[in-house]
Structure formats: structure tokens, C-alpha cells
Amino acid sequence: MTRVRFYTDIPDRSSLILHLVEQAVARQRQVTIYLESPEAAEQLSHSLWQQSAFIPNVLAEAPQASLTPVLLAWLPEHIRQDDMLFNCQKTLPKFFSRFRHLFELIGSAEDDKTAGRQRYAFYRDRGYEIQHMKMQTQ
């Protein structure tokens, strides 16, 4: 069964993603980051390549996607692995249950929190194991 971890009140989503993805890659895990749009995916990809730690990544529609540990996707049909999913969309990823780990990344904006609460209730009501990590605002 998928393990779900919520990170809430995130002041800087990109920084948290960079930190978590760096840890995952160091452990030789496969990561899909599910974003709102191709533009958001390209922006995050650029940020990942700029890190001092080497974080190989590619847009999920790229030919070399099956060879890269970190995929950036915005459409369900782009998903090619089932290890770790970072959901950066406000909607429930309907395919989440195929993953071993699901990370829900909830910002501090009220609409983000409302959508996050709905997803939390969905997972809880279906018996998923949920961890909650409230981020400290600086």
C-alpha cells in the first residue's frame, strides 16, 4: 500500500523539493515530480541542474526519460516508474496508488491548504498510512 507523507505550510516549495530529491537520488530511488504545467517542469528542471549535488533529471516526455532517476511530468501518461511521486498539483493524482511513496507538498496559500485538506481526507478515509510534516516558517 502506498505510504503518504504530507508536507504542509511550505514557505519555499522548490527548496524542499531540491532537498528531498537530493536525498532520494543519493539512495538510488526513482522520483517523479508531478507539476502543473510544462513551464513549471522546465523551471524546476533548471533549478535541479544548478545544484552543487548532481541531480540528473529530464522532462518525462524526453527520449532518455527511462534512463533518468528524476522525471518531471505534468500529464499522467508521462509517468514511467512507480517508486516515489511528489505531487505538486492541487488535484488528487488518480494514479497515486501504483507508487510506493507519495509526497504531498502543500504551500501556505489558502487555496493550496484547502485542496490539501481534501486530499488528506481522501487518503485517510481509505486507510492509507499518512505522515504529516508541518514545515516551520522562517
Side-chain angles (χ1 to χ4, degrees):
M1 181 175 261
T2 303
R3 292 185 177 165
V4 181
R5 182 177 294 174
F6 271 77
Y7 287 87
T8 59
D9 293 320
I10 301 170
D12 182 1
R13 185 181 287 174
S14 292
S15 292
L16 178 61
I17 290 171
L18 296 174
H19 173 73
L20 294 173
V21 168
E22 184 177 348
Q23 288 180 335
V25 169
R27 293 183 178 117
Q28 298 181 343
R29 304 299 295 265
Q30 291 187 333
V31 175
T32 296
I33 304 172
Y34 194 52
L35 297 145
E36 295 281 345
S37 67
E39 296 79 20
E42 288 180 29
Q43 184 177 11
L44 182 58
S45 178
H46 180 73
S47 295
L48 288 169
W49 282 112
Q50 299 303 313
Q51 296 305 300
S52 57
F54 181 65
I55 303 176
N57 71 90
V58 67
L59 300 182
E61 61 184 2
Q64 65 274 33
S66 63
L67 304 172
T68 309
V70 179
L71 302 178
L72 300 133
W74 55 94
L75 295 172
E77 55 269 20
H78 290 159
I79 309 299
R80 299 199 171 139
Q81 58 90 9
D82 59 3
D83 190 15
M84 302 176 89
L85 176 66
F86 289 71
N87 184 29
C88 297
Q89 292 197 7
K90 290 186 172 114
T91 59
L92 177 80
K94 294 180 181 175
F95 51 86
F96 77 91
S97 63
R98 70 185 256 196
F99 286 85
R100 289 181 194 92
H101 301 277
L102 169 63
F103 297 85
E104 287 281 359
L105 308 174
I106 314 299
S108 55
E110 200 54 45
D111 62 332
D112 206 16
K113 289 180 181 183
T114 299
R117 287 183 194 110
Q118 291 171 346
R119 293 193 308 276
Y120 188 96
F122 176 90
Y123 302 128
R124 181 198 62 218
D125 294 347
R126 283 152 183 82
Y128 284 90
E129 177 184 331
I130 301 173
Q131 291 181 320
H132 179 217
M133 313 293 281
K134 184 173 175 126
M135 305 306 292
Q136 300 294 323
T137 55
Q138 306 284 334

